[in-house]
Amino acid sequence: MAAGTHYLPGLTPTNEAPVQKSDDAAGYYVLGDKLVDPKTPTGPIAERWTTRKFENRLVNPANRRKLDIIIVGTGLAGGAAAATLGEAGYNVKSFCYQDSPRRAHSIAAQGGINASKNYKSDGDSDYRLFYDTVKGGDYRSRESNVYRLAEVSTNIIDQCVAQGVPFAREYGGLLDNRSFGGVQVSRTFYARGQTGQQLLLGAYQAMERQVAAGTVEQFTRHEMLDVIIVDGRARGIVARNMVTGEIETHLADAVVLATGGYGNVFYLSTNAMGSNVMAAWRAHRKGAYMANPCYTQIHPTCIPVTGAHQSKLTLMSESLRNDGRIWVPKKAEDCTKDPRDIPEEDRDYFLERIYPAFGNLVPRDIASRAAKYMCDEGRGVGPEVEETQPDGTVKKFRRGVYLDLGAAIERLGKDKIEEKYDNLLDMYERITGENPYEVPMRIYPAVHYVMGGLWVDYELQTSITGLFCAGEANFSDHGANRLGASALMQGLADGYFVLPNTITDYLADGPFEKIDESHPAVVEALEGVQSRVEKLMSINGERSVESIHKELGQIMWEYCGMDRREEGLKTAIGLIRELKKEFWTNVKVLGSADSLNQDLEKANRVADFIELGELMCIDALNRRESCGGHFRGESQTEEGEALRHDDEFAYVAAWEFGGEDGAPILHKEDLIYTAIEMKQRSYK
């Protein structure tokens, strides 16, 4: 922890409730009632989760067999939840749009998973992991949720080792650790550069065991298109069979959304091409609050954009920053040279220079902005890429910086580097045609993760009774910036340990009244989905879905990307509203609705991305401060660092859907800390 930081037990508030004075988004939203999480525990922070687990009501084994739970999504959060709840004896229906649960996007995570095991004896602890996570999130997360995450992190490793996950080990056989950004300890467990894949296979095998046992029923190639609300409770979903085109209703006593993040709103991202916001957004339109949607993470180590032809970007694990040194030429005229011909004295290791205490392992938001600034100065490397400026002119920039493994190879030997990163470096060479063992890698920031998501209480229940949300799809743990290797930690924490212990308090009131497909609320939801599909198919305009999605992404990246300003955000809102009209009057969806139709699938997703994009810009416009991944150009220090305004914005922005033509409604949940003191972040 930083000098002057001390342990606080969590008994006395350390800050006051914020009072917002600025109102950049006036006229774009309606201010609603204050929001208070009624489930937030109190008392010593180290005892809150244990106390809550004991206080929550239980469901006896005989009653569990009478209760049905729908889980949408089969990534780490959804797969782990299905396996755990199925093993507990509930009847679980598991849905995913992929052809196998193994294809969930969790499989793409590379670098590792955090846990406060302190195997390196370097001073780690639950409290330090809690502290690093709250600080890394720029003091915009709930302290009780984050401490719970840190507390259960060690259980995750034990669970996964028992499943046979092949974590890397030291020569003596003990589990190995490495460091990730924003910390000064080594707490990241890893399986080379494919940690997400190995963890997902563990969760998948656990779930398949329950499929064989008859407690989990799988529905692959099914996409959720709406949530069914009966008497104020979530009681099922409407889903489309993506193979036959049939629209189906599925009913249950509770619904869990574990559908991942919405980074593809930017069109270009490291997310899987199918990743979307539809399940969460359909729930939002039915009454679930969307929290902090403007909190998006730009990952600093991705393979740079090479031209307008691209529809996907590729992540290079943050773990490479353990051994790779990031630099650009000191002189702009050297940017076209072979990097091997640039002498050491002409290289600017800018992260090591600006942030000597953390060097190349600063948090992602800080590393990303620093790389952008270097390229803005004209010292970027790689091919020139055309970029449209706000005034409509087109300029060329070199969008890349070097990540150089040369010193590490010289120090450790090529074999050691290959042992750690071989699949990552092989993937890089296949994509770029350059050998990273011989030539420094080129990287640049790209959209990777979202900290925003559906608002949930301490028990992961949304503002819709009976609708729960887990993993990246909710907002709960990371504040304004997620630390590296914490996504896998949250997904498995929610799925294996949190949700199974909190959903019981709701299900203890069951079994609930049985409903069938003839119930008016079920019929209404089904007809609403059918009407939307018919509308999309009938427009028959001139523009492809892809072209509209790409235009949305350009708007979002230009005005709501790494540098956001009042004028630009207002411009973006206007452009998105025009794009929405264009979509609903001029889009052309190919094929038919009653068969396999990927164009229809994408049209459904893009329609929701457009609405989400507008809300993200309104949220960013309202928050006139810089915190974590949300950087407002009007709020920065003299050195260009993010400048928070805790007196105005230390709150969760929970947005309620305002209707088709109404403005969104903002509910503020104040962030009051008792176990940590808010400070301006410093990694220097």
Side-chain angles (χ1 to χ4, degrees):
M1 287 179 281
T5 300
H6 53 279
Y7 175 87
L8 295 173
L11 299 175
T12 307
T14 61
N15 66 295
E16 296 180 355
V19 179
Q20 185 173 340
K21 304 179 185 68
S22 62
D23 196 7
D24 286 359
Y28 289 95
Y29 74 100
V30 175
L31 185 62
D33 296 332
K34 279 273 191 181
L35 182 61
V36 177
D37 176 8
K39 305 291 180 62
T40 298
T42 56
I45 193 155
E47 300 175 10
R48 293 177 187 175
W49 176 230
T50 301
T51 301
R52 176 49 53 87
K53 284 191 293 182
F54 178 75
E55 291 175 345
N56 274 357
R57 295 173 297 166
L58 303 178
V59 180
N60 77 56
N63 283 341
R64 293 174 202 166
R65 293 191 291 271
K66 303 173 186 175
L67 291 164
D68 301 327
I69 303 172
I70 286 174
I71 300 178
V72 186
T74 58
L76 290 183
T84 307
L85 293 169
E87 188 159 5
Y90 298 101
N91 303 308
V92 177
K93 287 185 176 182
S94 170
F95 291 80
C96 67
Y97 68 77
Q98 298 91 346
D99 59 358
S100 166
R102 289 173 299 174
R103 294 187 182 274
H105 187 56
S106 299
I107 203 169
Q110 298 170 352
I113 178 171
N114 289 328
S116 52
K117 285 283 196 181
N118 195 31
Y119 281 173
K120 294 290 187 181
S121 298
D122 52 3
D124 203 7
S125 64
D126 290 351
Y127 189 86
R128 191 177 297 274
L129 176 51
F130 155 75
Y131 174 87
D132 288 343
T133 304
V134 174
K135 177 185 175 183
D138 223 350
Y139 303 92
R140 289 295 177 264
S141 54
R142 290 183 183 145
E143 63 175 9
S144 293
N145 295 58
V146 176
Y147 197 93
R148 175 177 64 188
L149 179 64
E151 189 177 343
V152 304
S153 67
T154 55
N155 302 105
I156 297 170
I157 303 304
D158 296 338
Q159 171 94 354
C160 295
V161 169
Q163 290 173 341
V165 173
F167 286 123
R169 294 179 181 268
E170 296 176 333
Y171 179 77
L174 299 176
L175 295 178
D176 195 15
N177 293 122
R178 56 190 179 196
S179 296
F180 262 57
V183 305
Q184 293 178 307
V185 298
S186 296
R187 64 163 67 103
T188 304
F189 296 77
Y190 63 99
R192 289 199 172 184
Q194 49 184 260
T195 313
Q197 178 179 352
Q198 299 304 327
L199 293 174
L200 183 61
L201 288 174
Y204 168 73
Q205 290 169 342
M207 183 173 73
E208 288 302 305
R209 177 170 170 266
Q210 296 309 311
V211 171
T215 61
V216 175
E217 184 179 4
Q218 275 184 184
F219 294 84
T220 58
R221 302 295 286 151
H222 279 69
E223 186 160 40
M224 173 182 156
L225 299 183
D226 209 350
V227 61
I228 296 171
I229 309 294
V230 179
D231 298 328
R233 295 176 184 266
R235 294 300 307 271
I237 65 170
V238 180
R240 180 174 181 269
N241 184 319
M242 298 163 69
V243 177
T244 67
E246 183 181 357
I247 298 175
E248 309 166 351
T249 57
H250 297 267
L251 306 175
D253 296 291
V255 178
V256 179
L257 302 184
T259 49
Y262 48 82
N264 277 344
V265 69
F266 289 90
Y267 185 71
L268 285 178
S269 82
T270 66
N271 288 185
M273 293 292 287
S275 296
N276 63 82
V277 75
M278 189 153 53
W281 194 256
R282 298 287 99 197
H284 173 62
R285 290 175 63 94
K286 284 291 184 73
Y289 296 169
M290 182 67 75
N292 301 331
C294 77
Y295 287 169
T296 52
Q297 179 163 89
I298 314 295
H299 197 294
T301 53
C302 302
I303 297 178
V305 175
T306 57
H309 61 281
Q310 280 184 271
S311 58
K312 175 80 173 69
L313 296 175
T314 305
L315 171 72
M316 287 286 103
S317 170
E318 181 173 318
S319 60
L320 290 166
R321 290 200 272 154
N322 276 271
D323 292 304
R325 300 181 70 192
I326 297 174
W327 62 276
V328 293
K330 289 183 177 179
K331 296 176 286 189
E333 55 265 31
D334 287 345
C335 291
T336 55
K337 288 184 178 179
D338 186 319
R340 294 168 292 187
D341 295 336
I342 301 175
E344 190 73 16
E345 61 270 18
D346 290 337
R347 301 180 176 188
D348 180 10
Y349 295 93
F350 56 92
L351 291 179
E352 298 173 24
R353 170 174 57 83
I354 302 171
Y355 307 102
F358 285 75
N360 295 299
L361 287 173
V362 292
R364 292 174 174 178
D365 59 311
I366 290 175
S368 294
R369 283 194 293 271
K372 179 181 184 298
Y373 294 156
M374 295 301 113
C375 296
D376 288 346
E377 288 178 11
R379 292 196 285 148
V381 298
E384 289 186 325
V385 178
E386 291 185 348
E387 294 182 8
T388 303
Q389 303 303 297
D391 61 3
T393 60
V394 176
K395 292 185 178 180
K396 292 184 176 181
F397 290 89
R398 299 183 191 277
R399 292 297 184 189
V401 300
Y402 290 123
L403 189 151
D404 195 339
L405 293 166
I409 292 173
E410 185 176 337
R411 184 177 74 254
L412 302 173
K414 180 183 176 183
D415 290 347
K416 285 292 184 184
I417 297 300
E418 191 172 10
E419 183 181 315
K420 289 183 177 181
Y421 310 116
D422 63 337
N423 67 308
L424 296 173
L425 302 183
D426 179 62
M427 181 164 51
Y428 178 86
E429 184 172 7
R430 286 171 179 266
I431 293 172
T432 65
E434 299 172 359
N435 186 339
Y437 295 103
E438 299 175 0
V439 182
M441 301 169 69
R442 287 180 294 107
I443 59 167
Y444 192 70
V447 175
H448 175 61
Y449 186 88
V450 295
M451 288 71 65
L454 289 182
W455 181 92
V456 291
D457 62 20
Y458 186 71
E459 297 189 345
L460 303 188
Q461 187 169 211
T462 70
S463 48
I464 296 176
T465 303
L467 180 67
F468 294 77
C469 188
E472 186 181 356
N474 74 34
F475 88 101
S476 69
D477 291 347
H478 304 296
N481 176 63
R482 177 177 66 76
L483 291 184
S486 288
L488 305 186
M489 176 173 62
Q490 186 209 349
L492 291 181
D494 284 357
Y496 282 137
F497 300 108
V498 179
L499 183 69
N501 279 295
T502 60
I503 198 171
T504 59
D505 197 55
Y506 174 73
L507 294 176
D509 289 329
F512 301 102
E513 178 187 355
K514 292 296 181 183
I515 59 172
D516 59 31
E517 295 180 352
S518 64
H519 191 286
V522 179
V523 173
E524 181 183 359
L526 179 64
E527 290 178 346
V529 168
Q530 291 171 334
S531 175
R532 175 184 166 97
V533 170
E534 290 169 4
K535 170 66 175 174
L536 286 169
M537 298 303 302
S538 68
I539 297 170
N540 200 29
E542 298 179 351
R543 289 194 60 177
S544 68
V545 179
E546 186 79 0
S547 72
I548 293 177
H549 189 191
K550 190 171 187 177
E551 183 176 341
L552 173 66
Q554 291 169 338
I555 295 169
M556 294 299 296
W557 182 250
E558 180 64 38
Y559 299 110
C560 198
M562 279 196 280
D563 191 325
R564 305 162 173 182
R565 297 170 189 264
E566 179 180 355
E567 182 181 357
L569 289 166
K570 289 181 176 178
T571 298
I573 293 168
L575 291 173
I576 292 171
R577 288 176 175 174
E578 288 301 312
L579 188 63
K580 182 178 180 179
K581 294 177 184 176
E582 173 77 355
F583 178 89
W584 286 104
T585 58
N586 197 29
V587 74
K588 185 178 184 67
V589 180
L590 304 174
S592 63
D594 57 356
S595 63
L596 175 67
N597 189 337
Q598 292 182 314
D599 213 36
L600 175 59
E601 294 163 21
K602 178 138 193 169
N604 260 314
R605 297 166 185 171
V606 171
D608 288 343
F609 276 142
I610 292 171
E611 293 183 4
L612 168 68
E614 180 180 340
L615 183 62
M616 288 172 65
C617 291
I618 293 172
D619 188 37
L621 180 61
N622 175 65
R623 191 173 286 274
R624 192 185 176 90
E625 67 162 353
S626 295
C627 55
H630 168 65
F631 188 82
R632 281 289 295 266
E634 302 92 338
S635 182
Q636 55 184 306
T637 67
E638 293 181 357
E639 298 174 321
E641 301 288 354
L643 180 63
R644 292 195 327 268
H645 298 293
D646 298 332
D647 57 331
E648 291 193 65
F649 297 104
Y651 63 76
V652 174
W655 296 90
E656 179 183 355
F657 184 64
E660 291 292 347
D661 300 315
I665 303 164
L666 172 60
H667 301 274
K668 300 178 182 180
E669 179 195 337
D670 294 338
L671 292 169
I672 303 298
Y673 292 100
T674 61
I676 196 169
E677 294 176 335
M678 288 195 289
K679 299 177 179 179
Q680 288 293 336
R681 287 190 307 172
S682 176
Y683 293 93
K684 295 186 175 181

